[in-house]
Amino acid sequence: EVQLSGSGGGLVQPGGSLRLSCAASGFTFGSYAMTWVRQAPGRGLEWVSTLSADGRSTYYAASVNGRFDISRNNYRSTLYLQMNRLTVEDTALYFCAKDDTDSGLDSHLDYWGRGTLVTVSS
Amino acid sequence: SYVLTQPPSVSVAPGKTAKITCAGDKIASKSVHWYQQRPGQAPVLVIFDDFDRPSGIPERFSGSNSGNTATLTIRGVEAGDEADYYCQVWDSSSGQIYVFGSGTRVTVL
């Protein structure tokens, strides 16, 4: 059974940093691209970032480009999202999700984790 | 950037059919995927590549894609189908590679 477990969320002040983790099991982690999607309170889904299976290709939404850094450790089956220079607009539930391809290109998300909440507030 | 437009809400009586639309420019040239998000839960993939169902998704869920509109159809609606539904495409023409629709709240009367 595929399982994705996000962690690392919490309350942080504007301008601060946070690192999210997503532990994966139940599939060959190193064979699939992985993606972060967020959902602000009461709002819809917003794509944040995608990382290819080999870790060489990264993609970021314009709203986070230059502030967030996606990475992975295929030996530990773990996905990360380093979030810097956070603003109140980054407040959201962050989901990690498994892509259906190794590249993350022309793909969909076939499994989602339960999400970890990030609150940016002074 | 590529935009997907969904109606904010759809109401349907139990046992009836719900149709949720997703409009986008020449969307038929893209693969459309649909996610169900029940309150307080993570999204679940219910349709991929326009009309394919993942294992475990009931046959009541079906999809189509033509022209400028993709449609998710739920036949024999049940109380457990009450959720938000999002369409999604992958778009290489802009930096937003995963594009989600705004979501449709399905209410079972």
Side-chain angles (χ1 to χ4, degrees):
Chain A
E1 177 190 7
V2 172
Q3 292 194 343
L4 299 169
S5 180
S7 62
L11 175 64
V12 60
Q13 291 188 338
S17 298
L18 212 55
R19 189 196 196 200
L20 305 184
S21 299
C22 174
S25 63
F27 65 102
T28 305
F29 183 76
S31 295
Y32 295 93
M34 296 292 294
T35 288
W36 289 98
V37 175
R38 68 184 181 184
Q39 186 171 37
R43 306 294 296 273
L45 302 175
E46 179 190 13
W47 170 72
V48 174
S49 182
T50 295
L51 179 60
S52 61
D54 61 10
R56 295 180 180 180
S57 298
T58 58
Y59 308 90
Y60 296 96
S63 57
V64 307
N65 195 25
R67 300 187 299 122
F68 289 12
D69 181 34
I70 190 171
S71 62
R72 65 193 295 158
N73 185 323
N74 286 346
Y75 296 104
R76 295 185 174 183
S77 297
T78 303
L79 176 73
Y80 304 99
L81 185 68
Q82 176 67 42
M83 305 184 294
N84 301 320
R85 304 202 309 273
L86 287 161
T87 73
V88 293
E89 287 75 29
D90 295 317
T91 294
L93 187 62
Y94 284 73
F95 298 100
C96 61
K98 171 186 170 294
D99 286 57
D100 188 55
T101 68
D102 60 347
S103 64
L105 304 179
D106 201 12
S107 183
H108 57 271
L109 303 170
D110 54 5
Y111 293 94
W112 297 61
R114 297 190 66 176
T116 183
L117 181 62
V118 173
T119 303
V120 184
S121 175
S122 55
Chain B
S1 61
Y2 194 80
V3 176
L4 296 173
T5 302
Q6 298 182 235
S9 62
V10 167
S11 297
V12 58
K16 299 300 185 182
T17 297
K19 288 184 180 291
I20 305 160
T21 57
C22 174
D25 184 46
K26 300 180 180 66
I27 197 173
S29 66
K30 300 180 180 298
S31 293
V32 179
H33 320 290
W34 292 90
Y35 303 90
Q36 174 196 67
Q37 187 180 29
R38 294 189 174 107
Q41 296 188 20
V44 172
L45 180 70
V46 293
I47 292 289
F48 66 96
D49 294 346
D50 296 338
F51 52 77
D52 286 328
R53 278 187 316 277
S55 60
I57 300 301
E59 291 183 9
R60 302 185 295 104
F61 289 81
S62 63
S64 63
N65 187 9
S66 178
N68 293 316
T69 304
T71 303
L72 173 68
T73 301
I74 312 173
R75 292 182 168 79
V77 167
E78 302 174 355
D81 298 331
E82 190 160 281
D84 293 327
Y85 291 83
Y86 296 90
C87 57
Q88 175 252 310
V89 300
W90 193 90
D91 180 59
S92 60
S93 65
S94 67
Q96 198 77 9
I97 65 169
Y98 273 91
V99 181
F100 289 97
S102 49
T104 298
R105 170 69 56 88
V106 170
T107 300
V108 181
L109 300 171

